[in-house]
Amino acid sequence: MISSQMLKGTLEGCILGIIDKKETYGYEISQKLTEYGFGKIAEGTIYPLLLRLEKNGFILATFRQSDQGPKRKYYSLTQDGKNEYLKFIESYNELTTSVNTLLADNKGENL
Amino acid sequence: MNNIKTKKLLKENNKFEKNLSKESTKVLTDIVVYLRGSAISEYHQEEVRRDISQMIFDGEKRNESVRDIIGEDYKSFCDEIVKSFPPRSKKERILELLSMFFQMLTTLSLLWLFSSLIVVFTGNENIYKLPLTLGQIINGIFISIGSIAIVTFVSKTSFNKPIEVRKDKKLKSFFIYLIVFLLFWGYFQLLRYFSKTVLLYLPLYIGVIVAIVTYVLAKILANLE
């Protein structure tokens, strides 16, 4: 299980990536995250993040009629959102490269 | 709740909530009460309420409980939601406070009208010369502060478990009740004393005018965005 501290920094970016693929809603996003191996992420964990992304103008919410019951909120990426997602990818790649370098360097000393 | 948009959403939310299970409605109520004491506007509170109701409704169809959907910690869930909203602008805060202020003035002027009418009907005073006493002003301030304090307290403690009084604490709670009673008794004695000081004499219709004007102002301010 991935530590929540590590998840904290990356979850928003990952959500942007999921929304980038296609317009989607809260529960579907949490399902996709589980599929990708993030473990069980409750929709309630995602909701505040979606709110923040929406308030920052990165995603747009539209109400669509669902098969039964009331209208459901669907999210799509705005242009600012796309840019933010690209920034996230760049940051993340930088981070993983640095961490991998550090781990490789420590490999000999710790075993 | 003077804002028209908010009232409309509130009605829709009330209607939709009937679709949820009893247990979910209890949790949702705790959440809504907690949010009422938070820094986000009433309209945003209702928006959040709508979204959470929707989540719970869908979750129930999948046989999931509120805990599965929101997680264990309802309070942090709400705190995270509040944090994700941008802070309100100075203008918004001021408009909101002013609206609340005028709302309170409406209530207080109606209170004054009511007690003055009683005085009139007991045949004692001239309806053009009704007293506005220091005691009434003090009481008005006390009621206003007290009501805000109570609402804030209730919302902040929304997720607290109900307090159980253990047998050995019964003596302590008796003393607390006694002290509270004495404080209230002391307060009313104080009020009686200050009710002797008349600040102004006002005709009855001033009370009506103030009530109407403050009511309208509160409504206008609440609908300015």
Side-chain angles (χ1 to χ4, degrees):
Chain A
M1 226 190 78
I2 308 175
S3 87
S4 58
Q5 274 292 20
M6 277 201 223
L7 271 181
K8 245 189 184 143
T10 52
L11 215 47
E12 267 183 50
C14 297
I15 291 175
L16 284 175
I18 293 175
I19 298 178
D20 186 41
K21 273 193 114 180
K22 77 165 178 126
E23 193 189 50
T24 180
Y25 60 99
Y27 182 66
E28 210 173 52
I29 297 176
S30 65
Q31 275 186 306
K32 275 249 160 281
L33 285 170
T34 310
E35 272 174 46
Y36 285 127
F38 283 88
K40 181 142 196 331
I41 310 268
E43 202 180 340
T45 313
I46 301 183
Y47 178 64
L49 302 178
L50 288 172
L51 276 179
R52 192 171 325 136
L53 290 172
E54 194 188 341
K55 299 302 166 187
N56 285 334
F58 297 143
I59 59 179
L60 201 61
T62 341
F63 283 96
R64 296 202 188 286
Q65 198 67 47
S66 55
D67 36 333
Q68 53 167 200
K71 302 196 210 168
R72 201 184 262 149
K73 232 180 184 182
Y74 278 80
Y75 296 99
S76 55
L77 224 53
T78 64
Q79 190 52 54
D80 282 346
K82 289 203 204 281
N83 296 340
E84 185 70 12
Y85 179 50
L86 292 174
K87 275 204 269 181
F88 163 74
I89 297 176
E90 202 184 309
S91 263
Y92 183 75
N93 285 335
E94 246 186 86
L95 178 70
T96 43
T97 310
S98 312
V99 173
N100 287 338
T101 312
L102 186 151
L103 291 177
D105 200 37
N106 281 352
K107 220 179 189 180
E109 299 163 30
N110 280 337
L111 285 180
Chain B
M1 181 142 312
N2 284 318
N3 187 293
I4 297 173
K5 253 197 333 178
T6 311
K7 253 202 181 127
K8 181 164 178 261
L9 188 53
L10 178 83
K11 265 200 176 131
E12 288 169 13
N13 285 340
N14 284 343
K15 195 165 163 224
F16 181 68
E17 214 170 283
K18 300 200 164 99
N19 297 323
L20 302 177
S21 73
K22 244 198 192 145
E23 192 215 321
S24 301
T25 312
K26 251 195 342 176
V27 175
L28 195 58
T29 304
D30 286 346
I31 291 177
V32 172
V33 170
Y34 184 77
L35 289 178
R36 290 264 179 268
S38 70
I40 62 179
S41 74
E42 282 182 338
Y43 185 70
H44 284 147
Q45 290 170 19
E46 288 303 316
E47 280 188 317
V48 169
R49 181 182 169 200
R50 175 200 57 205
D51 292 344
I52 299 178
S53 308
Q54 173 80 68
M55 270 192 258
I56 296 178
F57 179 74
D58 284 344
E60 277 181 0
K61 282 196 284 179
R62 298 187 303 259
N63 280 323
E64 284 175 13
S65 71
V66 181
R67 283 227 125 82
D68 295 327
I69 304 164
I70 294 183
E72 293 287 322
D73 195 342
Y74 300 146
K75 187 168 176 290
S76 327
F77 174 64
C78 291
D79 290 338
E80 284 300 311
I81 290 176
V82 173
K83 272 201 282 185
S84 65
F85 279 92
R88 283 180 294 183
S89 63
K90 259 215 161 90
K91 177 184 166 208
E92 273 179 53
R93 284 293 282 154
I94 292 177
L95 281 179
E96 198 183 296
L97 285 171
L98 276 179
S99 178
M100 213 169 66
F101 172 71
F102 284 119
Q103 234 180 319
M104 287 199 171
L105 277 186
T106 310
T107 311
L108 294 177
S109 50
L110 285 173
L111 263 176
W112 180 81
L113 258 180
F114 184 68
S115 56
S116 301
L117 275 172
I118 293 182
V119 164
V120 167
F121 283 127
T122 57
N124 282 339
E125 300 277 345
N126 172 355
I127 61 166
Y128 291 106
K129 252 188 96 185
L130 291 160
L132 175 61
T133 68
L134 184 58
Q136 283 171 326
I137 302 275
I138 293 177
N139 199 33
I141 296 176
F142 184 75
I143 290 177
S144 304
I145 296 178
S147 55
I148 296 176
I150 291 175
V151 170
T152 309
F153 175 75
V154 168
S155 57
K156 294 281 182 230
T157 58
S158 182
F159 295 121
N160 292 12
K161 298 226 160 47
I163 305 172
E164 300 152 10
V165 183
R166 290 188 349 240
K167 282 227 167 92
D168 54 331
K169 295 232 159 157
K170 280 216 167 119
L171 191 62
K172 183 176 173 197
S173 33
F174 169 74
F175 274 115
I176 294 180
Y177 285 127
L178 186 64
I179 291 176
V180 170
F181 174 76
L182 285 174
L183 281 173
F184 271 102
W185 181 83
Y187 174 71
F188 282 117
Q189 294 308 311
L190 208 75
L191 271 189
R192 264 184 56 195
Y193 174 73
F194 282 119
S195 293
K196 301 203 171 92
T197 313
V198 178
L199 296 171
L200 286 173
Y201 282 100
L202 298 167
L204 196 71
Y205 63 77
I206 291 283
V208 177
I209 292 177
V210 171
I212 295 177
V213 168
T214 51
Y215 179 76
V216 169
L217 276 173
K219 276 257 181 302
I220 292 176
L221 286 169
N223 285 299
L224 283 176
E225 293 225 12

